[in-house]
Amino acid sequence: MLADLRVPPFDPALRARVQHAIDVKTKPPGSLGRIEELALQLALIQETEAPRVEAHLLLCAADHGVVAEGVSAWPQEVTAQMVANFLAGGAASTVFAREMGCKVTVADAGVAAPIPPAPKGAPALRRAGIRPGTRNFAREDAMTPAELSAALEFGAALAREAIAEGATVIALGEMGIGNTSSAAMLAHKIAGIELAPLVGPGAGLDGEGVSRKQQVLERAAARHPRRMDPMAALAAYGGLEIAALTGACAAAAAGGAAVLSDGFIASSAALAAIAARPEIGPRVIFSHMSREPGHRLMLEALEARPLLDLDLRLGEGTGALLALPLLRAACAMLAEMATFESAGVSGKD
C-alpha cells in the first residue's frame, strides 16, 4: 500500500516566496524561531502561501497479545473500556480536542474485548474487523502480511476521509494496553536502536516490571536477530493500531495534509512510514517529547525536533492536541502580521 502512494517533493519556488514573506514581517529575521519554521513547513505541505489548520485526530485502539507475558501494569480489558470513554467524551484526548476545536474519529483497529455501549448521541465507532488484537509476538509474529495490509489500508482510509472533509492536519492518537512494547520493538528493529534503553515503564510498571518487560522483549527480538524492513517489523512486532496509524501517516502525506504525531507509540508509526518512504519525513511534525525513555532515542534517530516537552506519557494524541495552538499561531503570523512596508516601520540598516 505504501509503495503505491505518490508524495511529491516540495516546490522550491513556493519555498522562496513564503520565506520572503516571513522575512519581511515586522521582526528581526528568525526572531520567531520554530514558529517561522512551522509556517514555512505548513505552507509547503499544503502547497499554498496561506496555510490553515483544520485538525482531525485519528484515535486508533487495539490490543496486543504480548500482554500475556506480563509486560503491562494494566489488564487488557482497559483498552475496550477506554474506547467507551473516548466515545463518551470523558478522556483527556477528547476533552482537549473539544477545547482545541479538533474533530475526532475513534477507531477500533483490533480491540480484543467487547466495547461497552456508548451513550446516546456518541459518535459512531469505526471498526476495522481484522482480528481481535495481535498474536503474542514473544512467541510468533503479531500479524500476517494480509492482516498488516488490511490495517494499513484501514488507517489510510480514515485519513483520506478526514482530508475529504476538510482536514489539513491529521493528528495521530492511540490506545492499546501493551503498545509501548510494540513501539520499543519497532524502534529496535527498524532504526537499529539498542533495545534496553527503549524499554520503559509504559503506563506504570515498577522497576521489577520493567526488568521483566525487557527480558520478554529480548526473547522476542531473538526471533528475528537482525534489523528489519519496516513492513516486516510491523508484521512481526507491531500493533494493529500502530499499523493503522502508519497507513494514515502515509495517506495524509500523499493527500497534502500535515501529520501531527503524538508520543512514543504514534512516533513508532511515523518511524515505520518514514523508513518505508523517506519523502514522508518533511510532512510530519513531532508534537512533543514523551517521558517514556525510548521516545528521545526514537526522535534522535529520526533527526526530529519536538515542539513541546511537558513530561507527558499518556498517549491518546494528547501531546498532538496541545501543540495545535502553535500551528495556528504560525499560520496567523504568515497571514496577519504586518510587513515593514505595510506598517511603515523602518527596516534594518
Side-chain angles (χ1 to χ4, degrees):
M1 170 256 170
L2 268 66
D4 298 331
L5 292 175
R6 180 178 178 272
V7 182
F10 288 156
D11 179 357
L14 176 62
R15 180 189 293 275
R17 291 196 304 273
V18 174
Q19 187 62 60
H20 175 74
I22 293 170
D23 290 343
V24 297
K25 301 294 185 184
T26 47
K27 57 175 180 58
S31 58
L32 284 176
R34 296 292 301 282
I35 298 301
E36 296 186 26
E37 295 174 15
L38 272 177
L40 178 60
Q41 185 178 11
L42 290 167
L44 292 172
I45 291 169
Q46 296 179 26
E47 299 182 340
T48 176
E49 294 173 54
R52 57 193 177 86
V53 174
E54 298 293 340
H56 197 126
L57 172 65
L58 302 183
L59 188 43
C60 295
D63 279 304
H64 295 254
V66 74
V67 167
E69 303 289 334
V71 297
S72 175
W74 296 79
Q76 191 170 72
E77 58 265 26
V78 169
T79 303
Q81 293 164 358
M82 282 301 300
V83 171
N85 194 22
F86 297 146
L87 295 172
S93 56
T94 49
V95 170
F96 290 173
R98 283 196 300 273
E99 182 67 21
M100 302 299 170
C102 178
K103 294 182 179 179
V104 180
T105 294
V106 182
D108 171 4
V111 178
I115 295 170
K120 187 176 181 180
L125 175 65
R126 301 296 302 275
R127 295 182 187 269
I130 300 168
R131 59 172 290 113
T134 50
R135 298 169 184 85
N136 181 354
F137 67 60
R139 302 174 185 275
E140 59 182 322
D141 284 355
M143 291 173 265
T144 66
E147 290 163 350
L148 171 61
S149 179
L152 290 167
E153 183 51 44
F154 175 66
L158 295 178
R160 287 193 290 263
E161 290 170 14
I163 293 169
E165 293 172 3
T168 62
V169 176
I170 300 296
L172 307 183
E174 45 62 43
M175 174 64 207
I177 297 301
N179 60 10
T180 59
S181 292
S182 274
M185 292 301 300
L186 293 174
H188 175 56
K189 290 298 182 181
I190 296 173
I193 303 169
E194 185 182 349
L195 182 57
L198 290 166
V199 182
L205 286 173
D206 59 15
E208 182 180 344
V210 172
S211 178
R212 179 174 61 250
K213 179 179 177 180
Q214 182 176 335
Q215 292 171 13
V216 170
L217 298 190
E218 287 174 348
R219 189 169 76 246
R223 295 195 306 103
H224 296 282
R226 296 181 179 83
R227 286 181 66 170
M228 301 174 73
D229 167 89
M231 295 301 105
L234 268 176
Y237 300 108
L240 289 156
E241 82 281 32
I242 297 174
L245 292 177
T246 301
C249 180
V259 177
L260 186 58
S261 183
D262 190 37
F264 188 45
I265 294 94
S267 295
S268 74
L271 169 69
I274 294 167
R277 295 290 299 272
E279 61 270 36
I280 290 172
R283 297 169 181 270
V284 179
I285 300 165
F286 292 89
S287 62
H288 77 107
M289 175 78 73
S290 169
R291 275 191 66 189
E292 187 68 13
H295 195 214
R296 181 182 299 275
L297 299 173
M298 187 186 289
L299 293 178
E300 288 174 355
L302 286 163
E303 298 183 353
R305 297 168 62 208
L307 295 174
L308 303 170
D309 188 348
L310 301 174
D311 284 341
L312 305 177
R313 58 181 181 89
L314 178 59
E316 303 178 9
T318 47
L321 292 164
L322 291 171
L324 281 175
L326 299 179
L327 275 63
R328 292 190 173 124
C331 292
M333 180 273 293
L334 191 55
E336 301 174 25
M337 191 174 174
T339 66
F340 284 100
E341 182 178 6
S342 69
V345 175
S346 299
K348 182 179 179 182
D349 290 338

